[in-house]
Amino acid sequence: MSVLTEAAQITIDPEKSYEIVTGRPEEKEMPGARHAVVAANLVAELGIYLKTYHSGVVCAEANFKIGENERIPDISFVATERIPTEGIPEGAWQFPPDLAVEIISPNDLHVKVSSKILEYFAAGVRQVWIVSPEHRSVTIFRSQIDIQVFAGDVELVSEDLLPGFHCNLQEL
């Protein structure tokens, strides 16, 4: 498959995932084993929470319209009241999630992660969680200046977005 861009025609590998950034496809690298396990564990914890509270849906690797771009957070949450009346879309969500979670991989660049956080907030994401398996930490960004770090043997909580959610970091 080919995508025509302003500068050139780019061949897209159908076996790979791509985010659309400034009109160009940008390959999203396949996660490593540790990344995948952390993602699965956090999706499971959020799923358990949502079975009780029924406050929305959790997604793994779903496409979202983020401003002019299309991004694929590792994990995302959309509140029930924002799900379209016709239901969960077949393709990309046409709006940003309430929560975008990015799990840091060894090859992630700080500048790209920081830019993505700013992009998420500019588009209307309510919270961004940055999960660092290497540092065994989760950083919750509620805004560019309201930041909370959870590290060590502590409970991860987000009472403002997910009231009642808690998860011991060691379980991730």
Side-chain angles (χ1 to χ4, degrees), residues 96-114:
D98 292 287
L99 168 65
V101 179
E102 295 291 343
I103 300 168
I104 302 300
S105 296
N107 55 351
D108 280 332
L109 298 175
H110 177 75
V111 68
K112 282 196 162 206
V113 174
S114 295

Side-chain angles (χ1 to χ4, degrees), residues 3-10 23-25:
V3 173
L4 190 59
T5 65
E6 293 176 10
Q9 190 168 2
I10 297 172
R24 303 177 133 267

